[in-house]
Amino acid sequence: MPVARPETSDARVIAHVDMDCFYVQVEQRKQPELRGLPTAVVQYNEWQGGALIAVSYEARGCGVKRSMRGEEAKAACPEIQLVQVPVARGKADLNTYRSAGSEVVSILAQSGKCERASIDEVYLDLTDAAESMLADAPPESLESIDEEALKSHILGMTREDGDDFKESVRDWICRKDADRRDKLLGCGIIIVAELRKQVLKETEFSCSAGIAHNKMLAKLASGMNKPAQQTVVPYAAVQELLSSLPIKKMKQLGGKLGTSLQTDLGIDTVGDLLQFSETKLQEHYGVNTGTWLWNIARGISGEEVQGRLLPKSHGSGKTFPGPRALRSLSNVQHWLNQLSEELYERLSSDLEQNKRIASTLTLHASAFRSKDSDSHKKFPSKSCPLRYGVTKIQEDAFNLFQAALREYMGPFGTKPQGNKKETWRITGLSVSASKIVDIPSGTSSIMRYFQSQSTIPSCSASGCPQEHVAVTPSASESCSEQKSAEAAMPEEDITVTYTSPDLDNSYRDSDMVPEKFPCQDVVSCLSTGAMEFPTQSGSNRDTPTKTIGRKTNNSKEKNGGMPSIVDIFKNYSATPQSKQETQEDSTVSLTSKRGNLSSSTSHSSEVNQEVEDRRDTEWGYKVGEIDQSVFDELPYEIQREYRSLLRPNKRPNAGKSKGGDGSASSSIAHYFPPLKR
Ligand code: TTP
């Protein structure tokens, strides 16, 4: 079946910037005497000197690898300097690295659209900058070209024997007869070299970069020549680059899909994919994946640079390998408390600094059962609406854990020690917060609003509350189970990277969606809204709930005179108004009430209460101030609802709530919940 092709965008200039041995560089900046010495950062764990998580290039030269432990590294390179990762709450504390990454991002972001892809990786869309340069000061018109640019590796560049490398690069960049795509890349080379020098000067960190016409190719190129170098993929070199590239090296093919391509279709390299027609690939993997595979085999990727400087989710995790595995509920609770504290700290600073709120709390764990034929069964991940407040997060995380444990252990109970046949061990725990959105401008009291939430029912240990509480933007979300096979823990205590096959790819900063996750990755999909949450029996999706914004059909009359957020959006974008009307209507009030919120009490009393409550706490919401990016950042189902408001005729089940229960379709109303007791 033919599918719309993504825009090939081969005249775009995209860079992928990747810091070199990042944690080591951060530690070396702290301790300059370590510069130039073989150095490695080791995990917080003294066993055999701790696992190495970052290795300097000097140490790599002596044969030290990231897969080693401290003692092995010492044996390979006796002069190696081992620096322990900073520690807080008995676990690795990555804050220093996060801030260092932010320093880099703030420099790079000045050059164009910038997407922070992980703790030490950034994508840049430099198309505009390159086009301006080409128009105003093309490379051939420059008196000299910076040395750093002349050191670039240009894939497929031909050189005669004896040609000077830098001269060849200069010629390539300045070719008058080059096509426009190459000319733009030539400008990209100069711009990226300049940026990398600026990063080095201002932060003391070196980085490498890939420059190409799309993100996929730029990412592939950035790792090809490290450290402190840049690699360019001209359009003409794409096929050669891909033809020998092992299929598993391709982003999103490191997991099951890559394995299936190898075993089911006998594909070893990306180039091998070319033998298969689009229809054939679609037959095997479905329409979208088939088309996607067909495209990547040709170096086509329509993925845009997102323009996102802040993380999509926050997470805090720890692993308990080998004998450290947790085996009692009280131990699990202890660690969940630590992790939740850290998570809350980060949520609070995100709220404070960036005016952003997260709405979903997810618990991931890895575990094994002894004396059990099914010992590889995955520990289910669980989510519930996120309630602001450290004790609430702690409570909910523990309840989610217990619900997951019950499911994991099956009908024979969860007693770890009581029944010798059924014991469990937890080898990794993490809590993460996702579905993060900006608070619209003009809502200055919202922080007080979130900080003042107190007596709200939590996810119960039996699973999830029957009636969810509209305390967070997506309180209509039910507790959910994440079945994805890729549902790995975001990993902070990185030892797990080397010990648990479940967790491969889930390294680095847990607040970033790891680049290497396939789309079905939990964190990624939560953040992008791409994941469907399966309904869990007993969740509020099965339970009729009433919500003000939806029940009143968005009408002011029915809503006790108070417009819902749905009305605001509707008026703002769908109904053009005269200037006079716009001015009159452009400021509406959303009411907030400190204290308990419930989404399923009597509607009329809620409305009356709301009217009263407006006197208590309220914030003005200027329609003209709604930042359009708010919509893009909204969870998918809310975007969908919003968009359906813009296209009322196409709105599915207009006037009805999804599934007839009123809960699933109330997302916008829940998103900025009206206040009630
Ligand atoms: P990477 O970018 O994968 O590696 P790197 O920056 O150390 O080295 P390179 O020059 O080859 O890019 O990871 C960035 C940081 O993430 C790294 O410095 C430490 C951390 N990290 C882990 O904590 N665990 C891991 O398993 C990996 C791969 C990285």
Side-chain angles (χ1 to χ4, degrees):
M1 181 184 156
V3 166
R5 290 253 174 278
E7 199 193 330
T8 52
S9 310
D10 55 14
R12 301 197 75 76
V13 180
I14 309 294
H16 177 255
V17 179
D18 186 12
M19 308 310 294
D20 302 317
C21 56
F22 188 47
Y23 290 10
V24 171
Q25 287 205 74
V26 175
E27 296 303 331
Q28 287 177 331
R29 186 172 71 169
K30 277 198 249 163
Q31 303 178 54
E33 66 279 11
L34 296 180
R35 278 192 197 285
L37 301 180
T39 308
V41 175
V42 288
Q43 180 53 279
Y44 167 68
N45 172 353
E46 280 122 49
W47 185 64
Q48 292 187 348
L52 269 53
I53 54 176
V55 181
S56 76
Y57 282 83
E58 293 84 357
R60 293 183 203 192
C62 306
V64 177
K65 296 198 168 62
R66 190 157 27 199
S67 55
M68 293 178 172
R69 300 195 77 87
E71 287 174 8
E72 263 180 285
K74 281 245 176 229
C77 175
E79 62 279 21
I80 194 166
Q81 307 290 314
L82 298 176
V83 184
Q84 198 191 54
V85 74
V87 173
R89 300 186 180 89
K91 62 182 287 298
D93 177 7
L94 304 186
N95 276 331
T96 331
Y97 307 129
R98 275 187 208 107
S99 319
S102 304
E103 287 176 43
V104 175
V105 170
S106 62
I107 296 167
L108 296 177
Q110 293 161 15
S111 62
K113 210 178 191 188
C114 173
E115 175 181 335
R116 192 174 182 178
S118 83
I119 198 164
D120 75 332
E121 283 174 288
V122 168
Y123 287 103
L124 297 171
D125 187 336
L126 298 172
T127 312
D128 290 347
E131 273 173 352
S132 308
M133 182 186 244
L134 194 58
D136 303 339
E140 66 266 25
S141 72
L142 300 177
E143 262 174 35
S144 67
I145 293 190
D146 191 274
E147 282 290 298
E148 196 55 43
L150 295 180
K151 287 195 267 165
S152 303
H153 301 263
I154 301 173
L155 299 187
M157 184 183 79
T158 48
R159 263 195 309 151
E160 300 297 322
D161 280 353
D163 276 2
D164 178 71
F165 180 82
K166 287 184 186 167
E167 276 310 310
S168 303
V169 174
R170 186 195 310 277
D171 290 348
W172 193 93
I173 295 174
C174 299
R175 272 179 315 158
K176 285 203 176 115
D177 60 346
D179 73 12
R180 185 174 164 77
R181 290 176 301 206
D182 281 357
K183 284 190 172 176
L184 285 170
L185 282 187
C187 297
I189 291 173
I190 295 171
I191 296 166
V192 173
E194 185 53 45
L195 283 170
R196 289 181 37 245
K197 278 173 58 179
Q198 199 184 339
V199 168
L200 183 64
K201 189 167 156 226
E202 292 183 25
T203 66
E204 300 175 30
F205 301 142
S206 77
C207 57
S208 300
I211 305 156
H213 293 303
N214 64 44
K215 282 170 83 174
M216 175 181 83
L217 297 169
K219 161 99 181 164
L220 279 176
S222 67
M224 294 177 78
N225 294 288
K226 279 196 138 223
Q229 295 171 75
Q230 56 187 50
T231 306
V232 187
V233 191
Y235 186 73
V238 173
Q239 278 314 321
E240 199 186 326
L241 168 67
L242 296 179
S243 64
S244 56
L245 186 76
I247 195 84
K248 288 241 173 181
K249 291 260 180 227
M250 186 55 108
K251 187 180 161 195
Q252 301 191 354
L253 293 180
K256 288 181 177 170
L257 181 54
T259 309
S260 160
L261 286 165
Q262 285 176 324
T263 52
D264 301 334
L265 299 186
I267 287 173
D268 289 323
T269 66
V270 177
D272 292 345
L273 271 172
L274 290 172
Q275 306 156 22
F276 295 87
S277 69
E278 184 175 6
T279 318
K280 191 87 196 152
L281 292 169
Q282 287 178 336
E283 272 166 23
H284 272 88
Y285 298 106
V287 173
N288 290 332
T289 306
T291 297
W292 177 75
L293 288 167
W294 191 92
N295 280 322
I296 61 157
R298 287 153 186 81
I300 300 170
S301 161
E303 206 189 322
E304 295 275 331
V305 173
Q306 291 299 321
R308 175 171 49 73
L309 307 184
L310 297 169
K312 284 178 174 178
S313 59
H314 298 293
S316 172
K318 181 166 175 69
T319 58
F320 310 93
R324 291 161 191 256
L326 306 181
R327 53 191 78 189
S328 73
L329 278 178
S330 61
N331 259 340
V332 168
Q333 187 168 27
H334 165 81
W335 281 111
L336 282 177
N337 285 348
Q338 307 301 311
L339 301 179
S340 302
E341 247 182 48
E342 190 194 344
L343 180 65
Y344 186 64
E345 214 172 87
R346 288 170 53 200
L347 284 169
S348 304
S349 71
D350 202 358
L351 178 59
E352 183 108 8
Q353 289 166 16
N354 310 317
K355 311 280 180 287
R356 301 197 312 159
I357 44 172
S359 57
T360 299
L361 175 71
T362 302
L363 172 116
H364 300 290
S366 52
F368 67 89
R369 296 191 293 186
S370 56
K371 297 187 179 155
D372 182 354
S373 56
D374 195 13
S375 64
H376 295 299
K377 184 175 169 186
K378 262 196 165 297
F379 195 91
S381 297
K382 297 271 176 195
S383 298
C384 72
L386 191 151
R387 303 185 299 145
Y388 271 69
V390 68
T391 49
K392 295 183 196 105
I393 294 177
Q394 289 172 332
E395 222 176 273
D396 290 349
F398 188 52
N399 286 335
L400 289 175
F401 175 84
Q402 292 184 86
L405 182 63
R406 236 187 316 279
E407 193 175 313
Y408 179 68
M409 295 303 287
F412 301 109
T414 55
K415 280 186 192 163
Q417 310 296 358
N419 179 350
K420 282 203 170 138
K421 282 185 191 153
E422 282 292 337
T423 59
W424 50 264
R425 299 281 185 274
I426 298 297
T427 52
L429 274 178
S430 88
V431 286
S432 60
S434 56
K435 291 198 177 172
I436 303 182
V437 291
D438 294 336
I439 295 169
S441 58
T443 55
S444 58
S445 65
I446 200 159
M447 284 166 68
R448 194 155 35 111
Y449 168 69
F450 274 95
Q451 280 153 9
S452 63
Q453 303 309 309
S454 56
T455 53
I456 295 144
S458 61
C459 269
S460 70
S462 60
C464 298
Q466 290 292 305
E467 291 175 356
H468 267 301
V469 173
V471 63
T472 56
S474 63
S476 62
E477 190 82 60
S478 67
C479 283
S480 60
E481 176 190 358
Q482 292 160 359
K483 293 194 192 293
S484 162
E486 307 291 340
M489 297 191 342
E491 175 194 327
E492 293 229 343
D493 257 14
I494 308 100
T495 322
V496 75
T497 306
Y498 316 108
T499 55
S500 165
D502 290 346
L503 300 172
D504 85 352
N505 284 341
S506 62
Y507 63 94
R508 306 196 207 191
D509 191 6
S510 54
D511 70 4
M512 307 304 299
V513 178
E515 256 299 296
K516 294 171 187 167
F517 270 128
C519 179
Q520 64 267 42
D521 156 49
V522 171
V523 179
S524 161
C525 294
L526 284 175
S527 316
T528 58
M531 173 177 270
E532 290 288 335
F533 282 82
T535 303
Q536 193 187 355
S537 118
S539 78
N540 75 331
R541 290 207 175 176
D542 298 327
T543 311
T545 56
K546 296 170 187 170
T547 43
I548 289 174
R550 305 292 301 169
K551 181 169 178 178
T552 56
N553 207 15
N554 307 327
S555 107
K556 285 188 189 182
E557 290 77 23
K558 289 181 190 172
N559 202 3
M562 194 191 79
S564 74
I565 191 75
V566 178
D567 291 312
I568 297 167
F569 286 165
K570 199 173 183 176
N571 291 336
Y572 175 53
S573 298
T575 319
Q577 291 170 310
S578 70
K579 201 171 175 197
Q580 175 73 26
E581 283 171 319
T582 309
Q583 274 168 1
E584 280 170 13
D585 285 346
S586 69
T587 304
V588 289
S589 293
L590 298 182
T591 310
S592 79
K593 168 73 179 161
R594 278 166 269 149
N596 194 6
L597 305 183
S598 164
S599 59
S600 52
T601 51
S602 146
H603 170 59
S604 57
S605 66
E606 282 169 355
V607 172
N608 292 337
Q609 187 59 54
E610 279 179 31
V611 175
E612 270 179 46
D613 289 345
R614 293 174 72 177
R615 288 177 217 118
D616 187 358
T617 308
E618 72 178 12
W619 65 84
Y621 192 108
K622 285 203 170 143
V623 169
E625 286 175 12
I626 296 177
D627 178 357
Q628 279 301 293
S629 69
V630 167
F631 302 131
D632 297 332
E633 294 279 343
L634 291 170
Y636 178 68
E637 68 272 22
I638 295 170
Q639 283 192 32
R640 197 172 48 192
E641 188 174 355
Y642 168 64
R643 291 189 210 294
S644 72
L645 288 167
L646 299 182
R647 290 174 283 129
N649 295 341
K650 291 192 182 164
R651 189 173 170 186
N653 300 325
K656 287 185 208 159
S657 39
K658 191 176 170 185
D661 66 11
S663 61
S665 61
S666 55
S667 39
I668 285 182
H670 275 168
Y671 202 67
F672 294 96
L675 269 282
K676 50 206 160 181
R677 242 180 247 293

